Amino acid sequence: MDIIDHRIKATLKDVEAGMNRPLPAKLPEYHTIEAHLDPTTAYIAALDGTDQQIFYLEYEPDWGIAAWGVLYVEFDPKHPNNEIYRDGPNGGFFTEEDLFYYHLTMDLPNRDESRRFRNDFYAIRQTLSSARPTEPPLLNPKFNNKKGVRPLAAVERATGEWLALRAAITHQLAPGSLVLKDGRFNCQIEQAASWVDELGRTAIRNNVRCVAVVKSGAIYSNICPIVQEIAKNTNQAFYFLVPSEIIDESYANDVYTDRKTLMLGGKDHTDLAGIGALWTVFCPDPQNYKTFVILEFNVYDLHHYKSLVYQPQTLLRWQQEVLQAKVHKTQGKNIPHVYVTDLIIDPKDIEQLVEPTLRELLWLCEQEVGRFGYPNLLGLAHEEVVLKAEKVKLLRQKYMEAFAESDKILSELVAHPLDATAHKLHNIH
């Protein structure tokens, strides 16, 4: 089955739930667009990650070994016939070199043994690849409370995606580039909010547009019937801004008193702050309306917040003191936070950021209709990074060979049944 079909089926349950939601009395105002690639765009890049459990203990399936990896791809619009640059595993014939693009996560009954086994892996990896030492993302043990090796691998994969985005913005991409990230722009519990905030600011200083592409979650399912209704009225690609009331309604029943995924900025490790703003629904193909995605733009790309990048001030202080705009206060402690629904949106944000970017994404979609469920460069990264059965088989074989001396540990491990559906266990919607 094609990975895009897999993705659609994986989100079908959420979508069906959203279809039961009544349409609003008034549909959001939508706009149609045509494909256009801006000649000033230097490069277009995309990245996605995957995780998969490859071994487990028969008596405790949560224990064992999982693998994770990230694929970064980059396209030069000025030389469209050139081969796409990639930093990550190949999606076609899986070579032995591709093995080194994947990291291992171990969760074994004996913690000391697990740590030793992990250290052995990185030592062997360095020797076999003749590369400089590599380490998995450092995680704060205080927040590393996931149960089972697969969720642990998902945590590291999510962190690895952020590190790949940081490398692209800081070192890889030329000014004037666009980079697409699969999944939301809110930080997970493993990244400090200040770190994610600084990444958003760095992107603006380096003149790199960052766009997050979301195809799941409460917002996605609740928007679905609205997209379907609008698609009946047009045969052109269209977009509209997610109404604030739908954002609030989508998260009204969350277990948290305060909507953490709506916060921007914020204090380290006290909320799930992020840089995602101006949530925009984009449907590239009205004939197949389920191809729609929700895009999050970098808050520091917005007209009223761009100047903040060069100021030693927090987003909260800028919102309150400079813009004198509204904030949300938490219940009980009455602590102010900036929510995505508090942001001031200027017409220039639509004219100079949203529409030009969407025209380019539509151009990407039209380059390869077979991956129309994603802007095609992100579709490429999403499809080729996933650990399918043939990759997992080779990974198991190679790691068994590499760890032949660790027979005491490996003798307890058996091949884990492949679950190629949801490789996004760590998503926070």
Side-chain angles (χ1 to χ4, degrees):
M1 180 182 293
D2 185 86
I3 191 64
I4 300 303
D5 292 334
H6 248 319
R7 181 72 172 187
I8 292 173
K9 288 182 182 298
T11 58
L12 187 59
K13 186 176 180 180
D14 280 343
V15 171
E16 289 177 345
M19 294 302 289
N20 295 325
R21 187 179 187 275
L23 286 169
K26 183 179 179 182
L27 292 176
E29 181 181 1
Y30 72 92
H31 304 273
T32 60
I33 57 169
E34 295 182 356
H36 176 71
L37 184 62
D38 194 319
T40 64
T41 298
Y43 296 93
I44 303 176
L47 62 92
D48 196 6
T50 184
D51 55 82
Q52 186 63 248
Q53 188 166 348
I54 58 177
F55 294 109
Y56 74 109
L57 301 183
E58 276 192 299
Y59 57 85
E60 183 51 71
D62 284 338
W63 280 335
I65 298 178
W68 65 269
V70 175
L71 173 59
Y72 168 86
V73 292
E74 184 180 289
F75 172 70
D76 184 352
K78 296 178 178 59
H79 300 91
N81 296 322
N82 286 5
E83 186 177 352
I84 292 176
Y85 170 83
R86 68 174 60 233
D87 182 11
N90 196 297
F93 180 71
F94 196 54
T95 66
E96 189 165 336
E97 288 71 26
D98 288 316
L99 178 73
F100 301 113
Y101 285 116
Y102 290 99
H103 304 260
L104 290 191
T105 296
M106 294 87 173
D107 193 20
L108 302 170
N110 186 314
R111 295 292 178 178
D112 291 333
E113 196 172 58
S114 181
R115 189 181 301 110
R116 178 178 60 79
F117 189 42
R118 187 173 186 140
N119 290 340
D120 287 348
F121 161 66
Y122 281 98
I124 292 172
R125 176 190 174 107
Q126 181 187 357
T127 302
L128 294 180
S129 64
S130 299
R132 55 187 172 182
T134 58
E135 291 293 337
L138 296 177
L139 305 176
N140 187 335
K142 178 180 178 182
F143 302 100
N144 189 4
N145 57 0
K146 301 293 180 183
K147 175 177 172 54
V149 69
R150 181 78 189 276
L152 284 173
V155 165
E156 296 194 15
R157 182 262 307 155
T159 307
E161 289 179 16
W162 274 106
L163 292 175
L165 181 63
R166 178 188 181 187
I169 291 170
T170 308
H171 307 296
Q172 183 66 36
L173 290 170
S177 295
L178 167 67
V179 60
L180 308 176
K181 175 188 178 295
D182 187 79
R184 296 203 54 201
F185 264 153
N186 58 291
C187 69
Q188 313 294 347
I189 202 75
E190 297 77 33
Q191 300 92 32
S194 59
W195 187 91
V196 173
D197 185 77
E198 181 56 32
L199 184 60
R201 296 176 186 236
T202 301
I204 306 307
R205 296 188 191 110
N206 291 358
N207 190 20
V208 174
R209 278 175 295 154
C210 295
V211 177
V213 181
V214 183
K215 279 186 72 73
S216 61
I219 285 283
Y220 186 86
S221 60
N222 287 339
I223 283 292
C224 192
I226 297 175
V227 176
Q228 182 185 28
E229 193 65 23
I230 293 176
K232 296 176 183 177
N233 303 320
T234 181
N235 59 1
Q236 287 184 273
F238 64 87
Y239 76 91
F240 61 88
L241 303 187
V242 180
S244 297
E245 57 270 20
I246 292 182
I247 294 177
D248 291 334
E249 289 173 15
S250 297
Y251 296 112
N253 295 323
D254 193 84
V255 293
Y256 296 104
T257 304
D258 301 293
R259 271 311 312 151
K260 294 186 175 182
T261 58
L262 303 186
M263 293 180 180
L264 295 125
K267 298 179 180 179
D268 290 348
H269 297 306
T270 60
D271 59 39
L272 302 178
I275 58 172
L278 197 57
W279 293 1
T280 303
V281 176
F282 170 50
C283 181
D285 181 14
Q287 302 302 313
N288 183 11
Y289 72 94
K290 291 182 182 179
T291 59
F292 83 92
V293 294
I294 297 177
L295 305 175
E296 291 186 3
F297 292 88
N298 181 358
V299 62
Y300 295 109
D301 253 325
L302 303 189
H303 174 72
H304 290 288
Y305 302 89
K306 210 160 203 173
S307 299
L308 173 56
V309 169
Y310 304 97
Q311 304 295 328
Q313 293 188 31
T314 63
L315 179 66
L316 176 62
R317 184 177 176 185
W318 185 266
Q319 180 82 355
Q320 289 180 301
E321 298 181 9
V322 177
L323 300 179
Q324 296 184 346
K326 71 173 183 176
V327 297
H328 272 75
K329 293 187 177 181
T330 58
Q331 296 181 17
K333 294 185 178 180
N334 211 34
I335 300 173
H337 286 280
V338 181
Y339 278 24
V340 69
T341 51
D342 297 331
L343 297 173
I344 301 178
I345 307 302
D346 190 274
K348 293 179 181 178
D349 294 327
I350 309 301
E351 299 166 8
Q352 300 175 9
L353 176 62
V354 174
E355 287 211 354
T357 301
L358 294 185
R359 286 196 291 265
E360 292 190 309
L361 295 188
L362 183 59
W363 182 88
L364 282 174
C365 286
E366 292 183 350
Q367 299 311 296
E368 189 169 352
V369 177
R371 294 199 183 96
F372 217 58
Y374 271 101
N376 90 313
L377 200 63
L378 186 58
L380 179 71
H382 180 77
E383 180 176 14
E384 297 199 357
V385 73
V386 172
L387 281 162
K388 298 179 183 178
E390 60 272 18
K391 290 185 180 181
V392 171
K393 181 179 179 181
L394 184 57
L395 280 173
R396 287 169 177 161
Q397 175 187 338
K398 293 299 181 183
Y399 286 135
M400 290 294 279
E401 293 173 0
F403 290 108
E405 298 301 320
S406 302
D407 57 334
K408 182 178 179 182
I409 297 175
L410 293 179
S411 64
E412 297 181 296
L413 296 171
V414 293
H416 193 278
L418 186 64
D419 176 15
T421 53
H423 67 284
K424 295 291 181 186
L425 295 188
H426 193 52
N427 270 356
I428 300 177
H429 304 309

